[in-house]
Amino acid sequence: MPPTLTQTQGCVVRELQVSGSAAYLNGQFIPAEECKLPVYDMGIVLSAAVTDLARTFHGDLYRLEDHVRRLYHSARYARLETPHAIEETVRLAKS
């Protein structure tokens, strides 16, 4: 069953079926509780964030590409840099 996905300033979090939450940070998935951000990160200091939620049906992420494009559009509007290309984020979400 594919995971759900959220992203915050370079940290992508996904809910896993069996082992709890994992985060994608610095090119690898790690337990979410190990995902650490610097205290001066814009997301913390300025509450700079954008969000988009993806729905699943029967374990499949519904219209994932649309959600990721909307997320990246919002990030550009908020002048936030995205860590990956849209296609890479979609691939990571499906992995």
Side-chain angles (χ1 to χ4, degrees), residues 31-74:
E33 60 272 4
E34 292 178 20
C35 185
K36 308 276 191 273
L37 296 176
V39 70
Y40 295 110
D41 182 89
M42 281 187 1
I44 295 170
V45 175
L46 301 175
S47 299
V50 295
T51 60
D52 193 279
L53 302 175
R55 175 93 193 236
T56 60
F57 289 98
H58 306 290
D60 294 323
L61 288 163
Y62 179 70
R63 298 183 66 170
L64 177 63
E65 291 83 2
D66 292 338
H67 289 286
V68 174
R69 287 184 203 295
R70 186 169 43 249
L71 177 69
Y72 275 50
H73 176 77
S74 297

Side-chain angles (χ1 to χ4, degrees), residues 8 18 34 46 55 62 64 75-76 79 88 94:
T8 175
V18 178
E34 292 178 20
L46 301 175
R55 175 93 193 236
Y62 179 70
L64 177 63
R76 274 193 312 277
R79 297 185 179 148
E88 179 68 4
K94 291 180 177 180

